[in-house]
Amino acid sequence: MTSRPQGRLPQSSLRPAADGPLPEGRLVMDGFARWVLPSIQPQAERVPYLRRQVERVLHLWRLDALAWQVELVVTELATNAVRHARTLFTVAMTWDGRRLRIEVSDAHPVPPEPREEVSPDATGGRGLLLVEQLADHWGYEPHERGKTIWCDLRP
């Protein structure tokens, strides 16, 4: 029988995990990192909550440098789901080490329609224009239960 050394245990030389609260939703690590937050109510007050959750995920994945861009994109896409789809929606992010994909899926089949020009006095209509400017690529995929709007960002 071996005896246990007395005193403090040695500390790991590995970098500690990101501090702070973990995001809600489902985190999956299977060759890449994926986070999914399903069944979000189409209410405007859910959008700030989504920004906080996205910030937690990015911190966990050590992608804090992308935070302002990702939060703005998620805000715009989630706001579109709230205003136009008016259905439960899902937010997902996937990080493969080179590209961050953001997806917002809802049950409304009508595709997004970015406006070419928006009046300076208009209070809306700029969301997809912002997404287009911030993302490396973006698009949408129709499916039998609605659509998914996605965009890719690279650090």
Side-chain angles (χ1 to χ4, degrees):
M1 183 182 255
T2 60
S3 64
R4 226 179 177 165
Q6 299 296 319
R8 285 185 77 193
L9 294 173
Q11 296 297 312
S12 170
S13 61
L14 298 175
R15 187 173 173 186
D19 56 346
L22 290 175
E24 294 181 17
R26 186 179 61 199
L27 280 166
V28 179
M29 303 291 283
D30 58 355
F32 56 90
R34 183 161 172 81
W35 170 73
V36 179
L37 188 59
S39 303
I40 302 163
Q41 291 291 326
Q43 301 165 340
E45 57 270 13
R46 300 304 285 166
V47 176
Y49 161 80
L50 287 171
R51 280 194 300 269
R52 288 190 303 275
Q53 297 307 308
V54 163
E55 182 181 21
R56 291 174 181 174
V57 174
L58 295 173
H59 187 68
L60 186 66
W61 292 348
R62 302 193 193 313
L63 294 172
D64 298 281
L66 285 177
W68 74 269
Q69 293 165 292
V70 174
E71 289 176 29
L72 185 55
V73 165
V74 168
T75 296
E76 295 304 329
L77 296 180
T79 299
N80 283 351
V82 169
R83 285 186 180 166
H84 304 293
R86 298 185 187 125
T87 68
L88 291 175
F89 63 100
T90 297
V91 175
M93 294 193 308
T94 305
W95 170 242
D96 68 5
R98 295 175 311 176
R99 174 194 74 181
L100 180 70
R101 170 153 290 190
I102 301 160
E103 300 173 341
V104 174
S105 302
D106 62 54
H108 190 48
V110 176
E113 295 182 29
R115 296 185 186 169
E116 293 297 319
E117 292 184 27
V118 180
S119 163
D121 297 332
T123 58
R126 294 174 186 83
L128 292 175
L129 294 173
L130 286 170
V131 171
E132 185 175 312
Q133 290 298 309
L134 292 171
D136 293 303
H137 303 285
W138 82 277
Y140 83 98
E141 297 171 6
H143 45 78
E144 63 186 45
R145 291 182 298 270
K147 67 181 171 300
T148 297
I149 301 174
W150 59 268
C151 67
D152 295 336
L153 290 102
R154 296 185 191 278

